[in-house]
Amino acid sequence: MSRKSFRQAINEALRDEMRRDPTVFMIGEDIVGGTGAPGDQDAWGGVLGVTKGLAPEFGAERVIDTPISEMAYIGAAAGAAATGTRPVAELMFVDFMGTCFDQVLNQAAKFRYMFGGKVKTPMVIRTMYGAGLSAAAQHSQCLYPIFTHVPGIKVVIPSSPYEAKGLLTQAIRDDDPVIFFEHKFMYDDKGEVPDEPYTIPFGEANLTREGDDVTIVALGRMVKLANEAADQLAEDGIHCTVLDPRTTSPLDEEAILASVRRTGRLVVVDEASPRCNVGTDISALVAEQAFDALKGPIRLVSPPHTPVPFSPALEVHYIPSVERIRDTARSLMGGA
Amino acid sequence: MSRKSFRQAINEALRDEMRRDPTVFMIGEDIVGGTGAPGDQDAWGGVLGVTKGLAPEFGAERVIDTPISEMAYIGAAAGAAATGTRPVAELMFVDFMGTCFDQVLNQAAKFRYMFGGKVKTPMVIRTMYGAGLSAAAQHSQCLYPIFTHVPGIKVVIPSSPYEAKGLLTQAIRDDDPVIFFEHKFMYDDKGEVPDEPYTIPFGEANLTREGDDVTIVALGRMVKLANEAADQLAEDGIHCTVLDPRTTSPLDEEAILASVRRTGRLVVVDEASPRCNVGTDISALVAEQAFDALKGPIRLVSPPHTPVPFSPALEVHYIPSVERIRDTARSLMGGA
Amino acid sequence: MHLARDTLLTAYRSMATIRAFEEKVHEVFARGEIPGFAHLYAGEEASGVGICLHLNDADYITSTHRGHGHAIAKGCDVPAMMAELYGKRTGLCLGKGGSMHIADLDKGMMGANGIVGGGPPLACGAAFSARMLNTNGVVVAFLGDGSINEGSTMEAMNMAKVFNLPVIFAIEDNEYAQATATNWSVAGSMTKRAAGFDIPTTLVDGFDFFDVHQAAGEAIDKARKGEGPQLLHIKLYRYYGHFEGDATTYRGKGEMDKVKETKDCMVRFRADLTAKHDIAEADLEKIDAEIAALIEQSVQDARQAESPREADLHTDVYVSY
Amino acid sequence: MHLARDTLLTAYRSMATIRAFEEKVHEVFARGEIPGFAHLYAGEEASGVGICLHLNDADYITSTHRGHGHAIAKGCDVPAMMAELYGKRTGLCLGKGGSMHIADLDKGMMGANGIVGGGPPLACGAAFSARMLNTNGVVVAFLGDGSINEGSTMEAMNMAKVFNLPVIFAIEDNEYAQATATNWSVAGSMTKRAAGFDIPTTLVDGFDFFDVHQAAGEAIDKARKGEGPQLLHIKLYRYYGHFEGDATTYRGKGEMDKVKETKDCMVRFRADLTAKHDIAEADLEKIDAEIAALIEQSVQDARQAESPREADLHTDVYVSY
Ligand SMILES: Cc1ncc(C[n+]2csc(CCOP(=O)(O)OP(=O)(O)O)c2C)c(N)n1
Ligand SMILES: Cc1ncc(C[n+]2csc(CCOP(=O)(O)OP(=O)(O)O)c2C)c(N)n1
Ligand SMILES: [Mg+2]
Ligand SMILES: [Mg+2]
């Protein structure tokens, strides 16, 4: 166990699984970097260095740079998975999903059902999401609600380096198609991460904090912000439970319902666009199945229904903040 | 005014707007049919005959068949709209969105915001959706929750021939990108449709029936089923309001909230996959903003989290039925 | 290439099975027995069979919406296919997929595909698997002429070449994509398109089993030997509409009748077999009779078979969830 | 083609403005003054300017992530561009778009684009508009070499040919797509790829303004006259990393220095102007000085300018909602 960055945790999970299972391979754009070029190989290791060092260890046959052809290589991952290997594809930014979505929506996600259970498709798509780096409208989206909507895919959103390593290991070992969301603002976040491989099961929410007053369900980077908000609220005597679902598909409905049954109050924090997002999904779940336990309205903390703005002066208002989470939770307690 | 099919209502709206405005044009695959072929021209008029007769009237310069290249022609529609014309593109099945989504998600929907308001993109995408014809997993999806999630697009889901003509006319005249959903099972539905052009404004729900006991919000084809369920319930003395939002983006939040404030009970019927769908979106809206009015849990009626099955024996259980809607509403009244 | 008698009879059986299957589907579809969409392969039999005859179970194919012929040629179980079309629990995919999604991975059939251009990326993936698992396998991506305009197809062609993958792009050019003429919609030509990726093309007479078989054999051999992707441009024709229900008025007058009369691949193959390969009419008639019985039995069985149960709706979404 | 003195000076001013703009952005980005990503065009100036000089306000261009040069060449307001990069309210897009989304439809600049291959379909659309509105306009789709492997680009090439659209695909081939060599990732060649759609290609020396100008003029003329889409394969080089922050270790040793020393388009153009076109050093120096002042002022103004206000977050999503 030692302190590692989110980036390093992901790199380790990839490395360990590649070592463990020779059928695991990686494919993406510049996940090596320098392919065909006269200078350094492994020059990039992905656009933010997450896969650095893997090509030298495993070679170009298992760490595969591709032309800029998302439909082809995401589809190739699906085809490979259906025929005996375990690809881990990198979609550089989830914003690019529009160039390859068919291979996820209509192919990978539906194979097993359409074929009557006669295939498994153990592929992982690692992808970068989220706002905060002034990457503007086409490089800052979350979009995991879209994947959560699609039956046949599993959706994983790690909230810390520890979570990232354990969940990615599980994703690679999992027999279903998985999309794994890495927040671009979190790569340098540090935390304790065991050196040895471990898995965190899907569909089991993580209780990052317990309190009887308000349940806060938060996703990905929002988990940290929710805990900070809870810290502040604790000073005012308001005690929050902060739940990290870890995976939105499958979703640990029981953990959420159990917590709301205890607190009677729910705030859901989702960095995704507000319409039909995971926040509304969880709210609807609770409004249907734990209605009687509710002491007040379910509050959603999400960005506005706008594209992500470029200017930091705007982006700061776009992203849910600790203050908004805190004030929203407090409002449920009758506070200002 | 005369009885017309859903198909005919759409055809009329297209024809009238093409006549009225020479900058309106249509583009899609086989919306003419027979292009380049030795036999009949206008051989198809779209795969189900919806655009039949328009090519003969307006010519191949304004009713444009394309190669099978969705990204190119949906993108061309976006580019045309940004440069002074008003394209109406047909995406044969919304299930094909995965082959062209980027041009909607990152281009058309975001132009105005990214460019600081300096452009308008008056394009319409007409598309076919929904289950019921045993068209199986890749030709039966709804997917409008995905478009509703995306800021910058408007999402229209007509529930009858009358609605279809008025809403499509509005869509074509509208200055924003609009996606217009036509249920494949409804084309032969008949209803009264005025001969002259008219518009139905976006963001104004249609109260198709009033009652004090339960509010049922239903979308597209589900509106008819919800009304049938309400008929049956009325026989038991349970009186429902049935609301058709008409557009999910913008959504007439006020109408929904007002109705729930009156009835205190809400059922939302959405044919889309259940996770992060419009049903959860509306539920979350109400759980946040009309919580105090609620007398019981908010119930969602949606298909299960599975792809759409082929076999009619399965599909019939997949699609929300009148019976399920009825029983769900009744359960809110304390009935069995 | 000399072909053994057994091989020829196998080919004949396969082609005749496809023809009989499709004709039967046409008939029962018209009677309303088969739900959904059906795109028939009749007329194109020499292509699927001439190609698949070179493949073994470790080789894969990807298919299209017009996939029945590919499935039969690759060895999928015929009665189970018929049951699948009928939406029955005994179907090859338990009735969950239907005509557009028939698949049997164990036979190397990666699925009919409702998405034009859906297959080629998958084919590249299977080729990566073959390389990584050292199976020496090749992959054939069956494609319609119209699919050459899909970005996915062209991306896959580039990718196959860049990685020197053993993928054969088998373009079944029946002159139309739905109601649109391919001459009009494809700028350049198939050969030029492939040359844009340095992929060699062989022009193939899809009405002639022997030409398909010969050309496919060479292309598959090259791919298997590591010479990279190949493209077969196979000229042929479909006898029924794009889908069942299509009136095909976009065709030229008498166009189809002429093709049927003068070029039909079954007629030609039969004639060649009896005239040049010393196979007796009676042998073929016996096969025909067996096939007729098989298809008839398949339909009877499919009609009688159990439908999927409500609980089946929820299974097979995930391996575990 | 004979070029008037004024035209030459305009071209020089435009190229020098781009160079100065990019060098300044490089400098202030390193100081942390500019948020987000920035992809600089320095080194490629002759391309954007040599092409856009032929265009008028009724003609459109689509651009890429590396769009500053295209925007300046097409006449976008330079101080407003700088303010945009700074995320200020005075920016060309009110600070909402930033480097990757600079656009000004009034100038015919349809936007830098964060999506590789995003532009070509849009270019086809603008060409449909031009035809329908009878503007006689053409559209230039600026593209990086890497974008030729995107399905969207290839679909658009086919579409442009099928409809004989006045679209010029201007491939700015700087040898790399991010850290990947184009030689490796593009099967075939640009010329072969275009030939796959029957689109004619002109190979262009992107270090030589005159070559670009000449070739672009001919291609644009042809497109305008109804001869359909054209492709320019423009060989050039970028001086900075893929984006600001890229250490460019994938490059060959000394590769960039050599290009800069021997081929730089600015050096060459300057030399040509003074040696062959009777333009005095002093004239160019005067322009340089004016540009330096303009850029400096742009930065000063951008620094001082008001930031967008919280309320701006919610505007410009829809025309009405
Ligand atoms: C992405 C996508 N676009 C459009 C369609 C609708 N469609 C189904 S088959 C077809 C024509 C295919 O033509 P071709 O590839 O020539 O195959 P053929 O039907 O002639 O065998 C079209 C356009 C689809 N299924 N998928
Ligand atoms: C669809 C998509 N895929 C990948 C990227 C990431 N990306 C940004 S620029 C780039 C390389 C583009 O190379 P090229 O087209 O040669 O242009 P250059 O940067 O050399 O000007 C890549 C892969 C993207 N922005 N969009
Ligand atoms: Mg065809
Ligand atoms: Mg490049």
Side-chain angles (χ1 to χ4, degrees), chain C residues 15-205:
Chain C
M15 282 172 61
T17 304
I18 296 172
R19 179 67 58 93
F21 188 91
E22 297 297 61
E23 288 181 345
K24 179 59 80 177
V25 171
H26 177 73
E27 176 196 326
V28 296
F29 190 96
R31 270 200 247 128
E33 294 188 22
I34 289 187
F37 300 125
H39 307 82
L40 304 186
Y41 194 71
E44 309 190 0
E45 294 85 351
S47 172
V49 174
I51 291 170
C52 289
L53 218 53
H54 297 283
L55 304 179
N56 54 55
D57 278 6
D59 295 326
Y60 285 98
I61 64 168
T62 62
S63 175
T64 66
H65 54 288
R66 199 173 302 290
H68 305 168
H70 306 138
I72 292 173
K74 194 69 175 66
C76 292
D77 185 69
V78 171
M81 282 178 58
M82 189 63 83
E84 186 61 30
L85 265 59
Y86 272 81
K88 295 304 177 75
R89 198 161 201 255
T90 52
L92 196 57
C93 303
L94 309 189
K96 292 180 170 183
S99 166
M100 268 193 293
H101 308 301
I102 282 192
D104 190 345
L105 273 288
D106 290 340
K107 298 283 181 196
M109 165 58 174
M110 294 177 71
N113 208 313
I115 302 298
V116 171
L122 301 169
C124 289
F128 275 119
S129 274
R131 179 172 291 174
M132 225 156 302
L133 303 173
N134 274 311
T135 66
N136 198 31
V138 300
V139 190
V140 177
F142 283 103
L143 290 168
D145 42 274
S147 80
I148 198 80
N149 293 328
E150 281 285 0
S152 55
T153 303
M154 296 186 273
E155 287 188 4
M157 288 173 76
N158 184 60
M159 173 173 244
K161 185 68 190 182
V162 166
F163 292 98
N164 199 40
L165 297 174
V167 175
I168 295 91
F169 297 93
I171 311 282
E172 301 185 315
D173 179 358
N174 56 18
E175 302 180 26
Y176 298 94
Q178 292 192 165
T180 297
T182 299
N183 274 342
W184 172 82
S185 73
V186 179
S189 68
M190 296 298 169
T191 303
K192 290 184 191 174
R193 197 66 69 85
F197 308 97
D198 270 349
I199 296 178
T201 297
T202 311
L203 191 63
V204 183
D205 179 356

Side-chain angles (χ1 to χ4, degrees), chain D residues 144-146 172 174-177 182:
Chain D
D145 42 275
E172 300 185 315
N174 56 19
E175 300 181 25
Y176 298 95
T182 298

Side-chain angles (χ1 to χ4, degrees), chain B residues 22-25 27 60-62 64-85 99 102-103 106-109 111-121 150-154 174-177 248-251, chain D residues 60 80 84 91-98 100-106 109-133 151-152 155-156 158-159 162-163 312-321:
Chain B
T23 68
V24 175
F25 73 96
I27 189 164
E61 294 275 307
R62 290 181 68 199
I64 304 173
D65 268 356
T66 72
I68 313 179
S69 305
E70 289 79 12
M71 191 71 100
Y73 79 78
I74 295 289
T83 54
T85 51
T99 63
D102 185 70
Q103 289 291 338
N106 285 325
Q107 313 296 338
F111 280 166
R112 189 170 177 79
Y113 198 78
M114 296 191 300
F115 301 168
K118 287 188 180 160
V119 68
K120 53 182 192 166
T121 310
V150 178
I153 317 175
K154 294 176 176 172
D174 201 274
D175 279 336
D176 290 306
T248 61
S249 183
L251 180 69
Chain D
Y60 285 97
E84 185 62 31
L92 196 57
C93 304
L94 310 188
K96 292 180 172 182
M100 267 192 294
H101 308 301
I102 282 192
D104 190 345
L105 273 287
D106 291 339
M109 164 58 175
M110 294 177 71
N113 208 314
I115 303 299
V116 172
L122 302 171
C124 289
F128 275 120
S129 274
R131 179 172 292 174
M132 225 157 302
L133 303 174
S152 55
E155 287 188 4
N158 184 61
M159 173 174 243
V162 166
F163 292 99
D312 295 336
L313 180 57
H314 305 277
T315 56
D316 303 326
V317 183
Y318 297 91
V319 175
S320 65
Y321 196 63

